Amino acid sequence: MIAHIQGKLVEKTPTEVVIDCNGVGYQINISLHTFSLLPDSEHLKLYTFLQVKEDAHTLFGFVEKAERELFKLLLSVSGVGASTARTMLSSIAPQQIIQSIASGDVGTIQSIKGIGAKTAQRVILDLKDKVLKIYNLEEVSFAQSNTNKDEALSALEVLGFARKSAEKVVDKIVKDDPNATVETIIKQALKNL
């Protein structure tokens, strides 16, 4: 509905800005990524996304159109709300999120505060095809070993092994044999744990 807002920057914090647009001050939520890209000039244009809920109308602003599009993609994932999407964009550069989704890198997405294993997997599952298509990326070759490594780690955790010690062993196995299957990684890890 509101595609962009252009006006005078009145207030600026790492999480929000207020832009005066012909006498009306718009409070706009931003990510740390957008905050880092804000120009020093008073005049500002932000691409916006208006979220309408029963109890609130909230504006989110982005310096780059690409970040706004990624924000919308993240919102389309069940269990990812606006604040979670904003946290993701504040924690990791948008390009890195796109690469992590494209390569199936659950670990990077899970490293974001507030993102658990299930949500990270859902983000990748729901968005991988869209991201590959939209950003015209080739499926990254190391994705398979990453996925296998993550699945093996999850399985070892379920079996009661501490993640840190399991991770060391699994990293060594994957380093020695990048094409190891999940079963191979688990079997070798069990011998070494």
Side-chain angles (χ1 to χ4, degrees):
M1 185 179 149
I2 300 174
H4 74 264
I5 291 186
Q6 192 167 341
K8 183 180 173 192
L9 182 62
V10 182
E11 287 177 40
K12 171 171 109 172
T13 71
T15 56
E16 65 183 39
V17 293
V18 175
I19 296 179
D20 183 322
C21 187
N22 295 328
V24 179
Y26 290 93
Q27 181 182 7
I28 304 170
N29 292 292
I30 59 170
S31 68
L32 284 176
H33 178 73
T34 286
F35 179 74
S36 69
L37 297 175
L38 287 176
D40 289 332
S41 65
E42 274 190 347
H43 201 68
L44 181 64
K45 176 182 179 179
L46 288 182
Y47 297 101
T48 57
F49 174 79
L50 176 65
Q51 183 183 49
V52 179
K53 287 185 162 180
E54 268 180 35
D55 57 346
H57 287 48
T58 313
L59 264 177
F60 293 89
F62 310 93
V63 170
E64 305 167 321
K65 262 187 178 171
E67 186 184 7
R68 179 180 66 182
E69 298 318 306
L70 180 57
F71 181 78
K72 288 179 180 175
L73 278 176
L74 291 170
L75 287 182
S76 72
V77 177
S78 170
V80 175
S83 61
T84 303
R86 184 167 69 155
T87 301
M88 290 175 80
L89 292 166
S90 294
S91 305
I92 299 177
Q95 198 53 45
Q96 198 179 346
I97 294 174
I98 290 164
Q99 287 301 120
S100 299
I101 292 170
S103 63
D105 184 356
V106 176
T108 300
I109 292 175
Q110 198 178 332
S111 70
I112 299 166
K113 188 180 185 302
I115 303 285
K118 282 205 169 93
T119 305
Q121 288 166 348
R122 195 178 307 122
V123 165
I124 289 170
L125 192 69
D126 288 3
L127 299 183
K128 188 172 186 172
D129 292 340
K130 290 179 187 170
V131 162
L132 289 171
K133 191 171 148 193
I134 292 170
Y135 298 99
N136 206 9
L137 298 170
E138 295 298 316
E139 198 155 342
V140 187
S141 57
F142 66 85
Q144 193 55 44
S145 62
N146 252 348
T147 309
N148 289 350
K149 178 182 148 184
D150 290 332
E151 283 181 31
L153 274 173
S154 297
L156 290 166
E157 274 186 294
V158 170
L159 292 172
F161 293 98
R163 183 162 184 97
K164 277 211 162 87
S165 57
E167 212 159 354
K168 283 180 190 169
V169 173
V170 169
D171 281 342
K172 188 182 181 315
I173 294 165
V174 172
K175 190 177 167 192
D176 294 342
D177 180 8
N179 298 320
T181 63
V182 177
E183 294 79 14
T184 308
I185 296 171
I186 294 170
K187 283 177 186 171
Q188 287 185 5
L190 288 172
K191 288 177 189 169
N192 296 317
L193 282 169

